Amino acid sequence: MGFSLYLAELRLTNFRKFGKGVNGEPGLVLNLNKGLNVLIGENDSGKTCIIDAIRFVLLTQSREYLRIDKDDFHNGAKELRIECIFRGFSINQAKDFLEWLGIDQNKQFYLRVFLNARLDEKGKVYVDDVRAGTDEEGQVLYSRARDLLRTIYLKPLRDAEHELVARRNSRLSQILSAHPEFDNGDEHHLVDIFQKANEKLKDYFKGENGSESIVLERINNYLNRFSDVRDPLKSEIAITHESLKSILEKIDLVLDCTKPGLGALNLLYIAAELLLLQIDKNIGLNLALIEELEAHLHPQAQLRLIEYLQEVCSEGKSELQVLLTTHSVTLASSVKLDNLIIFTEEKAFSLAKGNTYLHDGDYQFLERFLDSTKANLFFARGVLIVEGDAENLLLPAFAEVLGKKLSKHGVSIVNVGSTAFLRYARIFMRKKEPKMTIPVAIITDCDLRIYNKEGKRIVIENQLIVEAKRKIEEKKEKYSRDNVQAFVSPLWTLEFDIACSCLKVEFYAAILMAKDYKKADEKLNEGKEPTPTKKIAEYLEEAKIAISEWAEDELEIAKKITEEVVIKSTLSKAIVAQCFAEILLSKNFPEKKIQEIRRDPKLEYLVKAIDYVTGG
């Protein structure tokens, strides 16, 4: 089965967060996939705006009341416009929209459906009829055609139990009555079943067929006493009126378990909606709008659900189109990048091929390795991409010392665990306008090896500055583009360069602490009682005394400090970084020391990277 009619494009002008361009063009033009579209981004980034805009124009199968009000107008604008463009018409689908259809340059049908609204000086809102056509005025879209474009809408924090229980106009009855299985209406076999059940029920309460029930007889005796002799009232007991609509309104959809939780009921509700969506139909639109798919679902349930939706929305398997919003890193890391649309900076950025500088190999790599710990980059206002656990553990503490707490600034750290920076950075590099402005900093080592594994210096003084500068420029040129900027350590590695800086005492104290932790772990593994670790102040004093007694130059001191971390690699960089972060956060640095850190040439790249992603 191939794809058919789908919502291909959404254009918003002066609707909520999205204004209009300098030449009056729409503030947002969003191209959508035929199948699955996952809208991600932080709170209030515009995801719900997209869902609501579509609902205003297309309405929903639940037929809930929708109304544009003055708060829907962007920043004092007096007019707004929502436009939906549909493509993929089969001949059978096109016949229902003939008077509104256009033909594009590829000789394919397309349909423009739009809604205009105005706001007068007194704040009263005037909403035009929904219109369609190839020109700006269009013609009114009649109710029959508009009904064919209605969507399924699942709101956030769904009350699944309420939606699926028997009641007048229940959502379950709407779903069932719209299914082809019930097209026969009152001629349906289910009506016969209820007629027979009603007959048996009536016979029972009439006391027939051996029944001894006197309930109905007494009720009618009371009624006879209450009612007018010229028009006596008489009752009978039945399950429901013998019409299909009444029967369907008396049906519950329940789970075969005791007291199901909210998550299980939510899955049941989604399954019921999919029953209606996955009809093999050759007319109308098959579009579902789902807000916060993850509502009430634990991560594994989220994964199972999104995997299923990806499967049924994949090309050749269904005519189903889905737009869903999420704040879940579990879902964001599980969806194919082609299906993701990032909302940030009051814009929408599709990650589908052709929009970014991601290569085919990048898509394959990221779909394997972009896990939930890295997927937080989709919800960030700034991103730090680092190559190891040490930077991941250290940078939040270092930023806090500078007065730039990363969580306060909405900054995410992405530990790529290697030097595959570009595979992640290209997510933010746009081939087309608009460009992303979210600051992305790549922090990497210069990697100019100064000492060999035996501790012998292999770069002479005259070569050091020239070679380091060359490597730094190469890496900056390789990794930097537009909003993505590379920040490179001045000499060798993060650890070695910190050991050359004004924080060398604190860093050596962290190494001494890490060595004691390592000894304690070894004793625990041997089943022995570990020696208690010392206080931070004691490690700092020990480090200060040791460094003061070394008469070597800056590089030799750094070599001694980092010998077990960089030269011999016998001590975990991650544990050292964790200890260093603990020491930094334990100290109340005076402003003079903070300014010294900021000016230190060995720490400058870290300072600049943090300033960049936190807005300066």
Side-chain angles (χ1 to χ4, degrees):
M1 181 187 301
F3 279 107
S4 190
L5 174 62
Y6 72 99
L7 177 59
E9 192 174 313
L10 178 69
R11 294 170 171 259
L12 303 181
T13 305
N14 287 332
F15 183 69
R16 296 188 187 169
K17 297 185 74 68
F18 305 104
K20 65 179 179 180
V22 292
N23 297 317
E25 67 270 17
L28 178 74
V29 177
L30 179 62
N31 293 301
L32 297 168
N33 297 315
K34 296 177 181 178
L36 181 63
N37 299 266
V38 179
L39 283 49
I40 58 176
E42 61 178 331
N43 290 334
D44 198 32
S45 60
K47 303 185 299 296
T48 296
C49 176
I50 301 302
I51 301 295
D52 287 349
I54 296 170
R55 292 169 63 213
F56 279 132
V57 177
L58 305 185
L59 302 180
T60 69
Q61 293 189 16
S62 300
R63 299 182 183 272
E64 73 262 50
Y65 179 68
L66 300 169
R67 180 180 178 179
I68 289 177
D69 61 38
K70 62 182 181 180
D71 292 333
D72 292 317
F73 290 78
H74 175 79
N75 289 351
K78 298 301 181 183
E79 296 182 347
L80 67 76
R81 180 183 177 95
I82 304 169
E83 182 177 331
C84 297
I85 300 176
F86 300 88
R87 298 187 185 278
F89 286 87
S90 66
I91 297 298
N92 196 45
Q93 289 168 327
K95 67 179 174 56
D96 295 307
F97 301 95
L98 280 179
E99 59 192 289
W100 302 283
L101 286 178
I103 298 177
D104 62 21
Q105 63 271 26
N106 297 318
K107 298 183 179 180
Q108 299 295 318
F109 291 123
Y110 73 92
L111 173 69
R112 289 173 64 247
V113 180
F114 49 88
L115 174 67
N116 294 318
R118 301 178 307 282
L119 184 67
D120 71 10
E121 297 301 323
K122 295 182 179 180
K124 186 174 181 179
V125 177
Y126 296 89
V127 182
D128 294 342
D129 290 327
V130 171
R131 305 175 79 86
T134 58
D135 58 25
E136 286 304 302
E137 292 298 320
Q139 301 177 60
V140 173
L141 191 68
Y142 301 139
S143 58
R144 161 62 180 163
R146 201 174 179 196
D147 281 345
L148 291 174
L149 296 177
R150 287 182 182 270
T151 70
I152 292 293
Y153 172 61
L154 276 70
K155 61 187 176 182
L157 300 176
R158 299 171 278 282
D159 187 354
E161 188 170 18
H162 176 72
E163 296 287 355
L164 298 177
V165 296
R167 59 186 174 85
R168 181 176 174 80
N169 292 324
S170 69
R171 181 61 191 144
L172 178 61
S173 69
Q174 294 174 16
I175 292 170
L176 293 177
S177 62
H179 195 278
E181 184 175 322
F182 298 93
D183 282 349
N184 292 338
D186 289 343
E187 301 299 318
H188 195 278
H189 179 57
L190 195 59
V191 176
D192 294 335
I193 294 173
F194 270 76
Q195 285 176 342
K196 292 175 181 177
N198 271 338
E199 288 171 5
K200 290 184 177 180
L201 194 68
K202 291 173 185 176
D203 288 346
Y204 172 82
F205 282 104
K206 287 177 182 176
E208 298 177 5
N209 299 325
S211 168
E212 298 179 359
S213 176
I214 59 172
V215 172
L216 187 63
E217 180 183 345
R218 290 189 174 180
I219 289 174
N220 283 326
N221 285 338
Y222 296 142
L223 270 178
N224 187 50
R225 298 284 297 273
F226 302 156
S227 58
D228 192 312
V229 293
R230 291 166 298 179
D231 189 17
L233 299 175
K234 189 175 182 181
S235 69
E236 61 182 19
I237 292 177
I239 299 172
T240 184
H241 293 297
E242 293 166 0
S243 68
L244 184 63
K245 183 177 185 298
S246 297
I247 291 169
L248 295 180
E249 288 176 345
K250 294 296 184 291
I251 293 177
D252 288 341
L253 181 62
V254 297
L255 285 169
D256 186 17
C257 60
T258 305
K259 292 184 178 180
L262 291 175
L265 289 170
N266 191 25
L267 289 173
L268 179 63
Y269 183 28
I270 293 172
E273 293 287 0
L274 287 176
L275 174 71
L276 185 57
L277 280 167
Q278 288 192 265
I279 299 169
D280 295 337
K281 60 182 183 181
N282 54 16
I283 61 171
L285 182 67
N286 219 6
L287 171 63
L289 309 174
I290 307 174
E291 288 201 76
E292 297 179 20
L293 181 71
E294 66 273 18
H296 309 306
L297 301 180
H298 62 81
Q300 289 301 319
Q302 293 176 34
L303 284 173
R304 290 192 292 268
L305 182 53
I306 199 65
E307 285 171 359
Y308 176 74
L309 287 177
Q310 284 192 114
E311 180 183 346
V312 298
C313 288
S314 60
E315 193 162 358
K317 291 196 175 181
S318 171
E319 295 179 353
L320 175 62
Q321 185 181 23
V322 174
L323 269 70
L324 65 86
T325 69
T326 184
H327 298 110
S328 167
V329 293
T330 300
L331 291 178
S333 65
S334 306
V335 175
K336 294 186 178 186
L337 290 181
D338 263 333
N339 300 126
L340 288 179
I341 302 172
I342 301 175
F343 282 76
T344 184
E345 307 160 7
E346 299 189 355
K347 296 182 180 68
F349 301 95
S350 171
L351 297 187
K353 290 174 183 175
N355 292 294
T356 72
Y357 281 92
L358 288 165
H359 303 310
D360 288 345
D362 295 333
Y363 282 97
Q364 295 170 10
F365 176 90
L366 291 170
E367 283 164 13
R368 289 195 303 270
F369 296 110
L370 183 59
D371 57 24
S372 59
T373 62
K374 300 181 181 72
N376 60 19
L377 63 86
F378 295 127
F379 306 92
R381 294 190 175 185
V383 178
L384 285 168
I385 302 179
V386 300
E387 60 185 286
D389 293 332
E391 292 88 348
N392 195 23
L393 292 165
L394 169 60
L395 285 173
F398 188 75
E400 195 164 338
V401 168
L402 299 177
K404 297 288 188 80
K405 192 166 185 176
L406 298 182
S407 59
K408 287 279 188 181
H409 289 82
V411 175
S412 293
I413 298 182
V414 180
N415 176 11
V416 301
S418 66
T419 55
F421 297 117
L422 279 176
R423 293 193 186 274
Y424 294 88
R426 287 191 190 111
I427 290 172
F428 302 95
M429 296 177 181
R430 308 296 296 180
K431 280 187 175 181
K432 305 174 182 177
E433 294 290 343
K435 300 282 189 178
M436 276 192 177
T437 59
I438 177 173
V440 179
I442 292 175
I443 295 180
T444 183
D445 293 335
C446 175
D447 282 329
L448 175 61
R449 178 170 281 277
I450 300 172
Y451 295 91
N452 62 20
K453 291 184 179 180
E454 288 73 40
K456 182 179 179 181
R457 188 161 170 175
I458 55 178
V459 178
I460 62 174
E461 192 70 35
N462 291 340
Q463 292 178 322
L464 184 62
I465 297 174
V466 174
E467 190 64 17
K469 184 177 180 181
R470 182 186 65 79
K471 278 182 164 285
I472 290 170
E473 291 304 317
E474 282 180 356
K475 292 201 171 189
K476 284 185 175 181
E477 184 178 354
K478 179 179 180 181
Y479 296 131
S480 299
R481 181 194 291 270
D482 298 330
N483 58 311
V484 178
Q485 297 295 311
F487 297 85
V488 188
S489 69
L491 293 175
W492 190 357
T493 69
L494 171 79
E495 295 79 14
F496 188 87
D497 287 16
I498 292 175
C500 291
S501 76
C502 63
L503 292 175
K504 62 170 64 72
V505 171
E506 288 82 0
F507 191 66
Y508 190 42
I511 290 175
L512 296 174
M513 186 190 298
K515 289 167 72 173
D516 280 356
Y517 282 145
K518 182 180 178 183
K519 291 175 184 175
D521 286 344
E522 288 171 351
K523 285 193 175 182
L524 283 171
N525 289 334
E526 294 170 0
K528 299 177 182 177
E529 190 68 25
T531 305
T533 53
K534 293 175 282 193
K535 294 180 180 178
I536 288 176
E538 294 177 90
Y539 287 116
L540 286 168
E541 185 63 25
E542 184 181 347
K544 183 179 179 182
I545 292 171
I547 291 173
S548 68
E549 293 175 351
W550 296 336
E552 290 86 354
D553 64 18
E554 179 186 79
L555 295 179
E556 287 295 318
I557 290 173
K559 184 191 81 169
K560 284 192 172 185
I561 291 173
T562 62
E563 186 171 11
E564 294 180 70
V565 182
V566 176
I567 309 295
K568 297 179 180 177
S569 300
T570 57
L571 193 60
S572 167
K573 289 183 178 182
I575 295 175
V576 170
Q578 188 174 5
C579 293
F580 187 41
E582 185 179 346
I583 290 170
L584 290 179
L585 294 175
S586 73
K587 296 190 70 172
N588 185 17
F589 288 102
E591 184 60 28
K592 184 178 179 181
K593 181 66 174 180
I594 294 173
Q595 292 306 316
E596 183 185 1
I597 292 170
R598 282 190 160 276
R599 291 190 298 267
D600 193 307
K602 302 300 188 296
L603 303 173
E604 184 181 26
Y605 79 110
L606 297 177
V607 173
K608 285 185 174 181
I610 289 167
D611 284 346
Y612 177 60
V613 297
T614 56

